[in-house]
Amino acid sequence: MHKLQIEGLTKTFGGLTAVNNVAMHVDDNEIVGLIGPNGAGKTTLFNMITGLYTPTSGQLLYQEKDITGLKPDKITDIGIARTFQNIRLFPMMTALENVMIGLHTRTHSTMFDSILRTKRHRTEEKNNIQRAMEILEMVGLESKQDEYSKNLPYGEQRKLEIARAMASNPGILLLDEPAAGMNENETAELTGFIKGLKGLGMTVLVIEHDMRLVMSICERIYVLDYGSKIAEGVPKEIQSNPQVIEAYLGKGA
């Protein structure tokens, strides 16, 4: 059984076909890459998986259940979480508070509980703080728990966004260009961190332009060009694929 299965997914905007009849899958506890030149349709595909866009045609299956066209909150509820190309943290909240926001999708206290500070609310809040600290420790940010997110270095902000996505306890984590804007040292650290997610039992689908990172962490890779899938395979196969080389470097390559 595939964790995530995409069948004939297409998205058009007026006369433009951004994603064209794409089929792919991600298995449990696997790190899969999605690459391609700028404008290839990678983020559009992510936006359909996470409910921001409704597919024009095709089907999305998560653990064999049809999730095509579900809203983002429902997608999160069933176990799919993501990060974005542009960091979307709450700048005036601390690192701890940002992670706790991610935990709210798994809380059960009502507004009534919150206002009256019921025992259920107090217990859940205590548990959430403890869990948020555990997640911050996983990403190496436990010492920054009280820092406003806007004051963290860029690389740490990226890790905090991943931590917030992890807080919803997802079955699959979608990372949209996690190394964007990072320097060489930060990218190397991120590479080790993403590899470590597999050891935690997580399933990851990642969009990334840094080929060194992609080739070192991904077990399989899909390649899009002009919205269509042009290749799939293990890193060695992708590196030597003529269509992939042409898509990135042109026919002269």
Side-chain angles (χ1 to χ4, degrees):
M1 180 183 78
H2 300 312
K3 191 86 168 181
L4 177 69
Q5 189 167 351
I6 296 167
E7 299 179 349
L9 212 61
T10 297
K11 181 62 180 178
T12 60
F13 298 95
L16 172 69
T17 301
V19 174
N20 183 29
N21 195 32
V22 169
M24 55 184 284
H25 69 270
V26 182
D27 292 330
D28 193 38
N29 197 211
E30 185 179 36
I31 300 178
V32 174
L34 179 63
I35 66 172
N38 287 330
K42 304 180 298 296
T43 295
T44 300
L45 185 63
F46 262 33
N47 287 341
M48 286 191 283
I49 295 171
T50 54
L52 293 176
Y53 293 161
T54 300
T56 303
S57 62
Q59 190 176 37
L60 286 160
L61 300 170
Y62 178 68
Q63 298 185 142
E64 298 188 331
K65 292 180 64 176
D66 190 347
I67 62 167
T68 312
L70 289 184
K71 298 299 183 185
D73 60 319
K74 299 299 182 185
I75 294 292
T76 302
D77 286 344
I78 65 172
I80 299 176
R82 73 171 292 179
T83 64
F84 292 84
Q85 285 179 333
N86 300 316
I87 294 172
R88 299 190 181 185
L89 295 170
F90 296 96
M92 294 304 295
M93 286 186 175
T94 66
L96 180 65
E97 289 167 340
N98 267 278
V99 177
M100 288 183 70
I101 289 290
L103 285 165
H104 284 166
T105 61
R106 297 289 180 255
T107 57
H108 304 287
S109 295
T110 65
M111 185 180 295
F112 175 83
D113 290 318
S114 180
I115 292 171
L116 296 184
R117 300 286 296 172
T118 62
K119 182 179 179 181
R120 178 166 74 166
H121 174 78
R122 295 194 307 273
T123 300
E124 200 162 53
E125 185 175 49
K126 180 182 177 182
N127 291 339
N128 282 351
I129 291 172
Q130 182 179 341
R131 178 58 182 156
M133 284 302 301
E134 289 172 357
I135 295 169
L136 285 174
E137 188 172 355
M138 287 180 196
V139 301
L141 293 178
E142 67 274 17
S143 64
K144 304 294 180 74
Q145 66 176 89
D146 296 323
E147 292 273 354
Y148 287 127
S149 66
K150 68 172 187 175
N151 295 333
L152 295 175
Y154 185 83
E156 292 184 349
Q157 289 187 27
R158 280 283 179 192
K159 288 168 103 176
L160 181 58
E161 189 173 41
I162 295 172
R164 186 178 61 186
M166 289 170 61
S168 65
N169 194 30
I172 183 169
L173 181 60
L174 277 59
L175 304 179
D176 194 349
E177 296 196 32
M182 286 188 172
N183 61 38
E184 191 172 334
N185 289 336
E186 289 170 334
T187 300
E189 191 176 339
L190 179 72
T191 300
F193 170 67
I194 296 175
K195 282 182 179 178
L197 294 178
K198 181 178 172 65
L200 297 173
M202 297 199 71
T203 304
V204 180
L205 176 61
V206 58
I207 293 173
E208 186 50 65
H209 282 293
D210 189 314
M211 288 300 102
R212 186 180 302 176
L213 184 152
V214 170
M215 297 301 167
S216 66
I217 67 172
C218 295
E219 295 153 84
R220 293 187 301 109
I221 298 169
Y222 291 92
V223 188
L224 297 185
D225 190 29
Y226 293 106
S228 297
K229 183 179 71 177
I230 61 169
E232 63 178 279
V234 299
K236 280 189 177 181
E237 293 171 334
I238 298 301
Q239 285 174 319
S240 59
N241 186 295
Q243 278 187 282
V244 177
I245 294 170
E246 182 180 323
Y248 275 96
L249 302 176
K251 290 185 178 180

